[in-house]
Amino acid sequence: MAREIKKIKQDPNDLTAMAEYYGNQFSEVYFVRDILADVIIAVECAPFQPGLSAPVERANGQRRNIFGYQELLLTTRFRTDTNDEGQRMVGYESASGNDTRLAKVEIGEVPITNGNVIAAGGSVRTLSPFERSQLQSTVRLKQAQMKARADYERYTDSAGRLVERFETFEIVRMK
Amino acid sequence: MADTYVPVTFVADELLTSTKMNLLGANQAGFHSGEAMGDGIIVTRHLSNATKVMVLPSVTGSVTAPESADSTNDFKCPIPSDYVDGTAITVKYMRNASNATGVVNQRGSVFNLRNGVSSSVLADSVGLDFTASGAFVRDIATIYTTGTDEFDIGDVIFVRIARDTADTSSASVDYDAVWIEYTGSV
């Protein structure tokens, strides 16, 4: 059951201060924007610094820190389907209900709660590296057979910032 | 008011955050307080049970048992809505202290008036023999609670008490109360 998308107001000054703060600590700073709710839900920073947060894996093997903002980030997941550039897609789950954790081609392949439907109940487990490798092969094959193109684009916004859009979430490079 | 339960789902290899864990905590707290429970999900088995008493409403004060088996000494009441299905229902009565001599032989019968129709005799307890020195409270019958003749919520219990033909007492006997004892939810 999808939750209602809530409209949330955010303070631009606070966002600017946050970007500056992380800019002083890291070489790369990215804002994660929930497009449906039009809010920033998290900040991703690279290179990864241990002890600050769990590492998240991104394209080209980069590891980043991820920090939620205003209790809006529920989860993120490095998906197994790939975009036209051959990079794995990134999924997020926002408190607004916006949820891209699972690609359509992954349905039926990735263990999720309650079988093949994202719903309450059931059980989920962590994949072993071997299972994860098998899963990636399976999903890659399935994506080719279904001719399923990932909903991804990369562009530069009006402020000159590099933006990567993964379905209904954007990663905006702030530094 | 809608309940506070929030569905929480998981996909393999997702990164958990404290925000998501808080949703689980809020759900758990909601189950404890009852706020996260859906409407209408409490059923009888969730409730504790207790033996309850319902006095049959047609009894007012002392009722004198007629001298014949053609008694119209009748009492009726519906099975209470909190009755726990399949548990025992016992019909009881209490007679007044009597100086009668001889054998006071009683016949108590219980009927199920399903849909207002007298359908079947569920119990026919003959020879409830008591004397002035005996206990005053007697069971008429423990009526059927299983099988095709079982009582269900909404059925009407019909009780008739009369002297049996073997009765040799010298005086009529008064009844102070007739009631049922049943297992009901608290």
Side-chain angles (χ1 to χ4, degrees), chain A residues 74 76-77 93 101 111 132, chain B residues 9 12-15 17 20:
Chain A
L74 296 186
T76 180
R77 178 171 172 267
E93 183 187 18
R101 287 171 294 168
R132 197 171 295 129
Chain B
T9 61
D13 287 342
E14 71 180 24
L15 177 81
T17 64
K20 187 154 184 173

Side-chain angles (χ1 to χ4, degrees), chain A residues 26 46 51 61 68 72 84 99 116-117 125 134 151 157 173:
Chain A
F26 293 88
L72 294 173
D84 289 349
D99 184 359
N116 294 339
V117 180
R125 60 194 172 82
Q134 285 184 315
D151 183 10
D157 68 8
R173 183 163 183 172

Side-chain angles (χ1 to χ4, degrees), chain A residues 23-66:
Chain A
N24 291 331
Q25 315 290 323
F26 293 88
S27 341
E28 298 176 23
V29 177
Y30 304 86
F31 275 6
V32 180
R33 193 167 79 90
D34 174 346
I35 298 173
L36 298 183
D38 193 20
V39 288
I40 303 299
I41 64 167
V43 185
E44 293 183 0
C45 301
F48 174 73
Q49 293 181 23
L52 299 179
S53 75
V56 289
E57 192 182 349
R58 293 295 179 247
N60 301 320
Q62 188 184 50
R63 295 168 83 219
R64 298 177 184 171
N65 291 95
I66 186 166

Side-chain angles (χ1 to χ4, degrees), chain A residues 73-75 93 101, chain B residues 8-11 14-25:
Chain A
L73 173 69
L74 296 186
T75 55
E93 183 187 18
R101 287 171 294 168
Chain B
V8 180
T9 61
F10 299 95
V11 179
E14 71 180 24
L15 177 81
L16 276 178
T17 64
S18 56
T19 305
K20 187 154 184 173
M21 297 303 290
N22 285 340
L23 294 178
L24 295 177

Side-chain angles (χ1 to χ4, degrees), chain B residues 8-182:
Chain B
V8 180
T9 61
F10 299 95
V11 179
D13 287 342
E14 71 180 24
L15 177 81
L16 276 178
T17 64
S18 56
T19 305
K20 187 154 184 173
M21 297 303 290
N22 285 340
L23 294 178
L24 295 177
N27 278 344
Q28 179 182 289
F31 290 133
H32 180 69
S33 67
E35 291 177 354
M37 296 169 78
D39 295 343
I41 65 163
I42 300 292
V43 295
T44 304
R45 71 175 175 82
H46 292 116
L47 305 171
S48 54
N49 299 328
T51 300
K52 295 186 173 183
V53 169
M54 174 177 278
V55 176
L56 299 197
S58 59
V59 174
T60 52
S62 177
V63 177
T64 301
E67 296 279 345
S68 80
D70 299 326
S71 171
T72 55
N73 201 7
D74 302 332
F75 312 93
K76 295 176 283 294
C77 81
I79 298 294
S81 60
D82 59 347
Y83 165 65
V84 177
D85 192 37
T87 55
I89 302 173
T90 305
V91 181
K92 296 189 172 187
Y93 69 91
M94 183 174 71
R95 70 170 177 83
N96 202 346
S98 171
N99 294 320
T101 57
V103 174
V104 181
N105 228 39
Q106 305 293 308
R107 175 184 293 269
S109 298
V110 179
F111 299 79
N112 183 357
L113 298 186
R114 199 186 298 275
N115 298 323
V117 177
S118 179
S119 55
S120 60
V121 177
L122 296 180
D124 188 9
S125 183
V126 181
L128 293 168
D129 189 6
F130 57 83
T131 65
S133 60
F136 294 138
V137 177
R138 299 288 179 180
D139 292 353
I140 293 177
T142 298
I143 60 179
Y144 297 139
T145 52
T146 57
T148 55
D149 289 332
E150 71 176 290
F151 276 86
D152 291 313
I153 292 170
D155 287 349
V156 175
I157 289 180
F158 177 96
V159 180
R160 171 166 289 176
I161 301 173
R163 289 189 168 189
D164 188 67
T165 52
D167 186 278
T168 59
S169 64
S170 61
S172 63
V173 177
D174 294 344
Y175 299 99
D176 286 343
V178 177
W179 69 94
I180 64 169
E181 284 184 5
Y182 67 99

